């Protein structure tokens, strides 16, 4: 699940400790809004800027790692929740076919 190696996970830990949990949660909210705004513009017929999408996606991922750390959510728990959500959506789709 982890996209970053140990070195970069340690750097993320340093960043989180420097700014604190509340600041990192607020940053996660800000980055999620920017990602949503970027995708919303594309849905509303703006030409996609792939570089911008990539940058916003990276920001969201970095802040997601902070939130995982703050709430002590491990990769196994996240993966299991993701699998549950995927399977639930497949069942919804199959009911509507």
């Amino acid at each position: 699940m982890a996209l970053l190696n140990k070195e970069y996970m340690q750097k993320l830990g340093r960043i989180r400790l420097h700014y604190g949990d509340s600041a990192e949660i607020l940053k996660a909210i800000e980055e999620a809004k920017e990602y949503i705004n970027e995708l919303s513009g594309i849905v509303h017929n703006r030409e996609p800027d792939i570089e911008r999408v990539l940058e916003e996606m990276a920001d969201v991922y970095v802040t997601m790692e902070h939130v995982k750390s703050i709430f002590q959510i491990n990769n196994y728990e996240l993966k299991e929740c993701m699998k549950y959500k995927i399977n639930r959506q497949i069942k919804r789709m199959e009911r509507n076919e």
Side-chain angles (χ1 to χ4, degrees), residues 1 74-87:
M1 254 313 280
N74 64 45
N75 286 339
Y76 175 80
E77 292 169 314
L78 181 58
K79 187 191 299 186
E80 290 303 305
C81 188
M82 290 169 63
K83 288 174 9 184
Y84 166 78
K85 299 274 188 172
I86 291 167
N87 287 330

Side-chain angles (χ1 to χ4, degrees), residues 25-38:
I25 290 170
L26 289 172
K27 187 69 170 175
I29 293 166
E30 174 190 331
E31 297 300 351
K33 286 179 184 177
E34 291 175 7
Y35 183 57
I36 290 166
N37 288 338
E38 188 62 32

Side-chain angles (χ1 to χ4, degrees), residues 48-74:
D49 180 343
I50 304 305
E51 186 65 30
R52 180 87 174 135
V53 172
L54 175 62
E55 288 178 15
E56 296 304 337
M57 190 180 292
D59 288 340
V60 167
Y61 186 83
V62 165
T63 58
M64 185 181 76
E65 287 295 337
H66 286 300
V67 172
K68 280 174 49 189
S69 180
I70 290 165
F71 295 108
Q72 299 179 345
I73 297 168
N74 64 45

Side-chain angles (χ1 to χ4, degrees), residues 5 8 16 24 50 83 94-95:
N5 65 21
Y8 281 91
R16 190 182 132 229
E24 289 305 324
I50 304 305
K83 288 174 9 184
E94 289 170 347
R95 283 195 301 263

